[in-house]
Amino acid sequence: MRFNLLRWQTAFARREDAARHLDFFSAGGSAIATVRLDDCDRAVDELIWLLMDDTTTAAARPDSRERIDDITAARSALPFVEYRDDFDRLVNAYRLRRTDAFALAGPRVATPLPAGSVERALLAAADARLPIRVHLDNGGGTVTWRPATRFVADRADHVELSSGYGRLHVARTIGRTWLVHLAGTDSAGPSLEAESADGGCIRIDVSEDENRRLHWRDVCLELAKDGLHA
């Protein structure tokens, strides 16, 4: 693998527990590479800070959680992203809310869905016995759950997804839901993603054989069609 370092325009450092991520972008805002350093000590943090330019604003520093004001590069790059990993790098680099990033990316990347789409998708997947995968992300960490046996029940203020090993409650007040068309390292897509008011998010997809993926895609496209007629 050979890199043309002359095109590496911008770099960002991110913390993840004891690890550090260095994200590199071209002058046009395209994601080039991410370097992950595991089990870092103080010397690595010191080196990162020494590499930072003195004119760097506080919003661009690793510890800052504020959004970078200038999102021109993100607006030009996001609509052309092909893979979820690259999309996630841009979201993290520009410290965007995922819902804002989906809106900037446009319908080729993500399509807005009507309220209640997460609940309808869970019910449809349970009826069709699709092996869904639920990915939860919040300030306390992430977890991926593939319930082997699924039961979906409508409650007064939430929908409950349960199996013999756990349960998940999806509140009816969950934020805007998107149909995301990006492929990931372990999924051909599409996926449903919604963000809660406190910044946590839920992603639902299928990671099994092609026939099940096609059935899941039909479920998702039906939700998108209902959104167009709403």
Side-chain angles (χ1 to χ4, degrees), residues 11-43:
F12 296 92
R14 296 184 286 116
R15 292 173 181 255
E16 184 180 310
D17 298 326
R20 302 293 180 267
H21 293 259
L22 302 179
D23 297 322
F24 297 93
F25 295 84
S26 69
S30 299
I32 294 178
T34 292
V35 178
R36 177 186 169 97
L37 308 173
D38 289 313
D39 298 325
C40 297
D41 56 22
R42 290 184 178 180

Side-chain angles (χ1 to χ4, degrees), residues 49-60:
W49 282 99
L50 289 173
L51 289 172
M52 291 177 63
D53 184 55
D54 291 339
T55 60
T56 301
T57 63

